[in-house]
Amino acid sequence: MFGLFKKKSEMEKLQEHYEKLMKDYHTLSTTDRTASDKAYAAADEIGKKMDALK
């Protein structure tokens, strides 16, 4: 209850975005290879940002 109005940290935002992109990458991998590769590349960039924040 006390965390109701707590803002997300930069790391939490990046983690959510990374998970969404990886899910999209996995879904697209069976249908559209180029879109899948773009989603993976974007997720990789976010992964690098997350590593830099650690």
Side-chain angles (χ1 to χ4, degrees):
M1 180 165 172
F2 293 109
L4 183 62
F5 298 107
K6 179 184 170 191
K7 292 186 178 184
K8 293 182 181 179
S9 70
E10 184 68 24
M11 185 65 137
E12 290 171 332
K13 289 178 186 177
L14 287 173
Q15 181 67 30
E16 285 182 4
H17 195 119
Y18 178 81
E19 289 173 3
K20 181 189 177 302
L21 285 171
M22 288 304 285
K23 184 179 177 184
D24 290 344
Y25 157 72
H26 181 65
T27 304
L28 289 169
S29 67
T30 59
T31 58
D32 189 359
R33 181 65 186 202
T34 56
S36 172
D37 290 344
K38 287 180 185 178
Y40 184 80
D44 189 45
E45 287 298 316
I46 292 191
K48 289 177 184 176
K49 287 181 186 177
M50 289 180 357
D51 287 340
L53 286 176
K54 288 184 180 180

